[in-house]
Amino acid sequence: WIVHDCWESYFAYRKSKHALCGAHLIRELRALSEMGNQWAEKFSTLLFDLYDLTNKGTEQLKPIDQELASQLYDEICRSADNLEPLAYRVKKQRGRIKQTDGRNLLNRLVKHKSAVIAFAFYQEVPFTNNLAERALRPVKTKQKVAGTWRTFKGAQQYARIRSFVDTARKQQRNVFHELKLLFNGDSFIVNPWGGK
């Protein structure tokens, strides 16, 4: 499973199953709600209710609840379709036809329905991709502060070390202890450096 923010390029990974990050969706829905879009408020409520029903995204819904959730999802999208203005063309505009933010979001919600509610249907799918984004944050910070790495090999070594440390943390292991074991030739990860 890949949990992401619906950037179209991610869907090129066809061998993976896709889920959309609930936190990203909630942010967009909240912005629309603040502008007076009532359907966005209803959709936010649906996502939060599903999150609560799945014990904060750690369990999957029962089949009967999945059917009800799917019907409610479709109902909200149908009402939103009646409320959101259709695309319009500005005079002498070339390229893609202009749409409102609400219409763009609605189109994504309809197109990627199974990815939006995957967290409620599959126990192994988290509600957000916050863990992955937290793991990337130190890399982006280092990149901004240092500008870049001096060599490609240095970037690879940094990535391997960060990956090892993050994996140890996610498995509730003592990072310092695991690093000591690693340097003594013992690791909880088999062949962590890709060597022989």
Side-chain angles (χ1 to χ4, degrees):
W1 284 95
I2 301 174
V3 182
H4 55 80
D5 61 359
C6 203
W7 193 35
E8 202 59 38
S9 299
Y10 292 133
F11 290 103
Y13 296 103
R14 301 199 191 286
K15 292 184 180 178
S16 299
K17 295 177 185 173
H18 296 268
L20 298 187
C21 173
H24 283 91
L25 291 172
I26 294 293
R27 235 176 279 138
E28 286 188 78
L29 290 163
R30 185 173 292 139
L32 289 173
S33 296
E34 289 170 359
M35 294 184 335
N37 290 36
Q38 294 174 347
W39 73 265
E41 185 63 39
K42 288 179 184 174
F43 205 95
S44 289
T45 302
L46 172 65
L47 287 179
F48 282 125
D49 287 348
L50 291 175
Y51 182 69
D52 289 340
L53 286 170
T54 58
N55 195 19
K56 310 251 182 275
T58 60
E59 300 170 6
Q60 69 185 47
L61 291 175
K62 295 179 179 116
I64 191 162
D65 293 331
Q66 289 179 0
E67 184 61 35
L68 288 171
S70 181
Q71 288 173 2
L72 188 54
Y73 188 106
D74 292 340
E75 187 180 306
I76 294 170
C77 288
R78 274 194 301 276
S79 72
D81 189 47
N82 294 329
L83 297 171
E84 279 300 326
L86 293 171
Y88 59 91
R89 188 175 288 283
V90 179
K91 263 188 179 180
K92 297 182 183 179
Q93 176 188 1
R94 294 184 341 184
R96 208 178 266 177
I97 296 174
K98 182 82 172 144
Q99 297 190 109
T100 63
D101 292 340
R103 175 57 69 178
N104 284 331
L105 177 58
L106 175 61
N107 290 344
R108 277 184 278 136
L109 293 173
V110 170
K111 181 179 179 180
H112 302 293
K113 175 184 175 182
S114 60
V116 172
I117 53 179
F119 76 94
F121 286 49
Y122 302 96
Q123 186 173 352
E124 65 271 19
V125 179
F127 181 69
T128 71
N129 65 351
N130 285 347
L131 270 178
E133 289 195 357
R134 254 184 266 147
L136 285 174
R137 193 167 292 125
V139 176
K140 291 305 289 178
T141 303
K142 179 159 178 63
Q143 191 177 19
K144 285 179 183 177
V145 171
T148 186
W149 284 267
R150 292 184 181 188
T151 65
F152 182 70
K153 186 176 181 179
Q156 285 179 316
Q157 290 170 341
Y158 179 84
R160 284 184 182 147
I161 293 166
R162 286 297 320 174
S163 176
F164 183 87
V165 169
D166 283 344
T167 301
R169 281 190 184 134
K170 287 174 186 163
Q171 294 186 5
Q172 284 90 40
R173 294 175 178 269
N174 181 306
V175 175
F176 182 72
H177 178 72
E178 293 302 332
L179 285 169
K180 278 180 20 184
L181 288 174
L182 177 67
F183 291 122
N184 289 325
D186 188 17
S187 172
F188 71 100
I189 298 177
V190 178
N191 204 5
W193 309 119
K196 295 180 182 177

